Amino acid sequence: MEKTLAIIKPDATERNIVGEIIRIIEKNKFKILRLNSMMLTESKAKEFYGVHSSKPFYNDLIEYMTSGMIVAIELEKDNAVKEFRDLIGDTNPEHAKNGTIRKMFAINQSNNSIHGSDSKENAIKEINLIFN
Ligand code: IDP
Ligand code: MG
């Protein structure tokens, strides 16, 4: 069965909405395989978002992702990567569809409450990076 990585981001842990978000994930039939509440180190955050290192928002992104607790969740479901991306919605909550997690909870395009892997290959890489 396919796996993906979810990360509940610092804006969501800060607002005590971790449980609400996990409830939605479980209602949508994703199985939780591993779950870990942690602080991301700067070096892990930089590796995780390495693909964005040349973007203008990169430094702010690293600062934000290391600013508070995150909850990393390894999820399993048929077609998990695409189904989870559909469930979280567009990066920018103004463009996210109704019923998506980002539409419901994200503050803005940066502090958008949740991460989901964008391919099967990246899901495996991200799960190994975060859980090892
Ligand atoms: P994704 O999380 O929907 O895959 P990416 O483009 O991969 O979106 O960007 C990774 C993360 O970087 C986003 O979830 C968001 O937190 C942040 N980000 C993306 N674009 C912007 C932007 O234009 N300004 C500020 N932060 C951004
Ligand atoms: Mg992405």
Side-chain angles (χ1 to χ4, degrees):
M1 188 121 43
E2 196 168 300
K3 294 172 176 46
T4 194
L5 181 76
I7 294 180
I8 301 177
K9 296 184 178 183
D11 69 272
T13 61
E14 167 69 22
R15 288 178 289 150
N16 292 3
I17 54 175
V18 171
E20 278 181 74
I21 291 173
I22 291 176
R23 176 95 184 104
I24 294 166
I25 293 170
E26 288 191 307
K27 269 195 173 171
N28 281 273
K29 309 262 189 308
F30 290 88
K31 270 288 167 222
I32 294 175
L33 300 183
R34 284 185 282 187
L35 185 152
N36 197 357
S37 177
M38 64 176 91
M39 291 284 290
L40 269 184
T41 61
E42 189 180 321
S43 73
K44 266 202 180 179
K46 285 183 166 167
E47 194 174 341
F48 192 86
Y49 281 120
V51 67
H52 292 306
S53 60
S54 63
K55 304 273 173 67
F57 59 83
Y58 179 68
N59 287 340
D60 287 345
L61 175 61
I62 300 306
E63 196 173 315
Y64 160 59
M65 288 299 294
T66 56
S67 69
M69 298 299 289
I70 62 154
V71 178
I73 314 171
E74 182 184 359
L75 295 171
E76 187 177 68
K77 190 183 181 182
D78 283 336
N79 209 13
V81 168
K82 177 171 190 307
E83 294 221 349
F84 195 67
R85 292 286 294 195
D86 288 346
L87 180 62
I88 71 178
D90 196 278
T91 311
N92 183 343
E94 287 178 21
H95 301 153
K97 291 187 182 142
N98 284 332
T100 62
I101 292 173
R102 283 170 167 168
K103 181 70 175 190
M104 285 185 268
F105 301 111
I107 295 168
N108 54 44
Q109 185 160 4
S110 164
N111 296 22
N112 58 7
S113 303
I114 191 151
H115 166 84
S117 309
D118 64 3
S119 69
K120 283 193 254 187
E121 299 70 41
N122 283 338
I124 300 300
K125 277 191 213 161
E126 291 175 3
I127 288 164
N128 287 334
L129 176 67
I130 294 293
F131 284 99
N132 297 330

